[in-house]
Amino acid sequence: MKKIITYVLAALLAVAVAAPSAMAAEHDAATQEEIDSLRQSLELANQELNLQKLDAKYKQIWNKGKYTMLGYALQDMGTEFTPVLKSKYAFFISKGTTYYFPKRPIGGLVKIGLDMRWTDISVARFEDEKIASDNWDVIGGDNGDGDDDSGILDRFNNLGRWCLQASAFGVGVNVGVAPLSMFDNAAKYLRASVYFHYLPTFGAILVSEDGKTEASFAYCNMFDFGGKLTYRAISVGVEGRWGSGMFKPLEIDMDEDGNMGMGSGDKIKRKFASTRFYVAFTF
């Protein structure tokens, strides 16, 4: 009987000693689980915060998609039967929007964009040795023959050769790269891009020389390929532009009595090529 009582007391003592240790171990395990959960939540929160900061950084670099271009061009115009004419001067203005994707750049550096050239208007003047355009310096002045009225008519009939091209809803692809976007300084805003467009274009040519005036009009298929460097909201770039159209000439004649006559001729295929330099403002 004494042995039994001794065994029971020993078992109770062992349980009494082991219970606090087991409870402490369970408490330590629960505490460790809470710590691990908090650490994991903190890591996830830090990752989300870093992604938000990164997205904000990419937005600063890439978000400016609308642009306005102002530029000067060197333009050539010719047909299969006449020598190529070179522009005396040419200017243009363009407006467009680039829609870049994906949201986060590929490799943190590259984005591909749908580039819409909403409008593009260019004016060029061509001149060769046959054009008596020097009489257009002073409106209403004497051209040297003593006949002011005749001089005015001569001036209106010797305006030179002009070309107007108006494009709308041009569509193309733009590939942009921000090579320094990994830095946290002002250099991250530097971007380079190349692009290509197809531009539906209305073309008009005015030829006014040797006392005759001729105008011709056509739908032209125009293309361009170029590149630009962008820093924040300002870009500088260069592009090549080419295309052709079938022009229907409309001739306007005025006889000595002041009577005006009009006539038309066969369609002529005219080809265009130009190199254009520009400054662009993005917003």
Side-chain angles (χ1 to χ4, degrees), residues 132-144 151 154-155 158:
S133 59
D134 291 338
N135 289 334
W136 190 243
D137 291 338
V138 180
I139 297 178
D142 194 324
N143 68 343
D154 286 343
R155 293 184 185 98
N158 293 282

Side-chain angles (χ1 to χ4, degrees), residues 43-139:
E43 289 177 356
L44 291 175
N46 286 332
Q47 291 177 4
E48 184 66 25
L49 181 61
N50 290 334
L51 287 176
Q52 289 179 1
K53 291 181 178 179
L54 194 60
D55 288 340
K57 178 181 177 180
Y58 289 148
K59 186 176 180 180
Q60 289 178 339
I61 297 173
W62 295 96
N63 195 48
K64 296 179 175 64
K66 296 181 180 180
Y67 59 85
T68 299
M69 299 163 53
L70 301 172
Y72 180 83
L74 305 174
Q75 184 169 326
D76 295 343
M77 177 178 67
T79 70
E80 297 177 354
F81 311 103
T82 60
V84 172
L85 296 177
K86 295 186 178 296
S87 63
K88 184 177 181 181
Y89 48 79
F91 302 93
F92 68 93
I93 181 172
S94 299
K95 287 181 176 291
T97 306
T98 304
Y99 302 94
Y100 280 115
F101 59 89
K103 180 179 180 181
R104 292 175 184 144
I106 301 170
L109 301 175
V110 179
K111 279 195 174 188
I112 300 173
L114 174 66
D115 202 343
M116 298 298 300
R117 188 71 62 86
W118 300 118
T119 58
D120 186 294
I121 300 173
S122 65
V123 177
R125 183 181 180 183
F126 300 84
E127 185 173 6
D128 61 21
E129 66 276 4
K130 293 183 179 180
I131 299 177
S133 59
D134 291 338
N135 289 334
W136 190 243
D137 291 338
V138 180
I139 297 178

